[in-house]
Amino acid sequence: MFKLRTLPFEASKNAIISEETCKFHYGKHHQGYVTKLNNLINDSEFKNANLFDIINKAKGALFNQAAQVYNHDFYWDCIAEKSKMSDEFKSALDENFDDFRSKFLATATGLFGSGWCWLVYNLTNNKLEIVQTSNAETPFIDNKVPLLVVDVWEHAYYLDFQNARAEYLEKFYENINWKFVSDAFTWAKKEGLNSVKFYINEVHPKEECECCCK
């Protein structure tokens, strides 16, 4: 069985979202996905599977719950603290985008409805890309390694920013954990999708779930 991961920051000290938002977003929404995932895998073919394999193989409600667990896991690390990007990653951004900040914020602001905005490393062409995903969709099922994500479901920001998604996104961008993003980029180039599997198994290690996390 899977467990809700520990937040990688103190809820009362996060620079982007309030403790109240953490209480509901992490304590209610994220916990809810974990609980529903466990209920769905019980007595199913995925009972002993790791999260990476569930996301890659499951469909419908089970995929939605599993992917939302991962999406939220990754989001918390992206906002865990404000940090600097590596020189290698900065060079890659400059090579792939004329103005990454503007494009990322515009893409996230313009996403219709609920979903996520990602920076990914596309393993097909070895390029950095900005992609939108709706609802629970996650990019690694399309051979794209996540490096950065912002949650643009309304529950991610409504208590703090009401309907001002753009204001939330500006605050997000000012406080990104670029070290985490830079490290994800380095591992994506070295290990491809195995870097995603390694991350997932690190967040949900074998001793925290009844699965074969190999």
Side-chain angles (χ1 to χ4, degrees), residues 119-181:
L119 172 68
V120 300
Y121 183 67
N122 189 330
L123 296 171
T124 302
N125 58 19
N126 298 320
K127 298 288 187 180
L128 296 180
E129 298 175 354
I130 298 170
V131 298
Q132 297 175 336
T133 60
S134 297
N135 300 318
E137 292 296 322
T138 197
F140 76 76
I141 62 173
D142 294 320
N143 210 37
K144 298 175 180 181
V145 179
L147 307 179
L148 170 70
V149 69
V150 62
D151 188 343
V152 289
W153 283 64
E154 281 194 344
H155 64 241
Y157 60 87
Y158 205 85
L159 290 177
D160 298 331
F161 300 93
Q162 286 74 57
N163 64 333
R165 179 189 284 186
E167 183 180 346
Y168 156 68
L169 292 170
E170 290 282 351
K171 179 72 80 171
F172 168 87
Y173 199 89
E174 291 171 6
N175 294 280
I176 289 172
N177 186 4
W178 287 116
K179 182 183 184 304
F180 174 76
V181 179

Side-chain angles (χ1 to χ4, degrees), residues 21-197:
T21 289
C22 282
K23 177 182 177 182
F24 285 94
H25 193 181
Y26 168 74
K28 301 294 185 180
H29 290 281
H30 196 181
Q31 177 65 74
Y33 296 126
V34 173
T35 300
K36 291 173 185 176
L37 170 63
N38 285 329
N39 289 338
L40 288 170
I41 64 172
N42 191 35
D43 296 326
S44 80
E45 62 182 294
F46 296 104
K47 183 174 182 178
N48 295 316
N50 61 41
L51 191 61
F52 180 87
D53 290 337
I54 295 172
I55 294 170
N56 273 295
K57 298 175 182 178
K59 304 294 182 182
L62 180 53
F63 168 83
N64 289 336
Q65 304 306 321
Q68 282 291 76
V69 170
Y70 164 76
N71 291 351
H72 282 84
D73 289 338
F74 202 79
Y75 171 69
W76 301 133
D77 282 315
C78 288
I79 66 170
E81 61 180 343
K82 183 176 182 178
S83 61
K84 294 182 179 181
M85 64 180 70
S86 68
D87 292 339
E88 177 191 27
F89 178 68
K90 185 179 185 305
S91 295
L93 279 184
D94 292 341
E95 289 173 6
N96 286 268
F97 304 100
D98 292 332
D99 185 350
F100 171 73
R101 181 183 185 279
S102 295
K103 185 171 183 180
F104 184 83
L105 291 177
T107 303
T109 303
L111 190 151
F112 181 77
S114 299
W116 307 80
C117 183
W118 308 78
L119 172 68
V120 300
Y121 183 67
N122 189 330
L123 296 171
T124 302
N125 58 19
N126 298 320
K127 298 288 187 180
L128 296 180
E129 298 175 354
I130 298 170
V131 298
Q132 297 175 336
T133 60
S134 297
N135 300 318
E137 292 296 322
T138 197
F140 76 76
I141 62 173
D142 294 320
N143 210 37
K144 298 175 180 181
V145 179
L147 307 179
L148 170 70
V149 69
V150 62
D151 188 343
V152 289
W153 283 64
E154 281 194 344
H155 64 241
Y157 60 87
Y158 205 85
L159 290 177
D160 298 331
F161 300 93
Q162 286 74 57
N163 64 333
R165 179 189 284 186
E167 183 180 346
Y168 156 68
L169 292 170
E170 290 282 351
K171 179 72 80 171
F172 168 87
Y173 199 89
E174 291 171 6
N175 294 280
I176 289 172
N177 186 4
W178 287 116
K179 182 183 184 304
F180 174 76
V181 179
S182 298
D183 289 346
F185 173 63
T186 298
W187 281 106
K189 292 197 301 176
K190 289 180 179 179
E191 300 291 340
L193 287 180
N194 281 333
S195 66
V196 180
K197 188 172 185 178

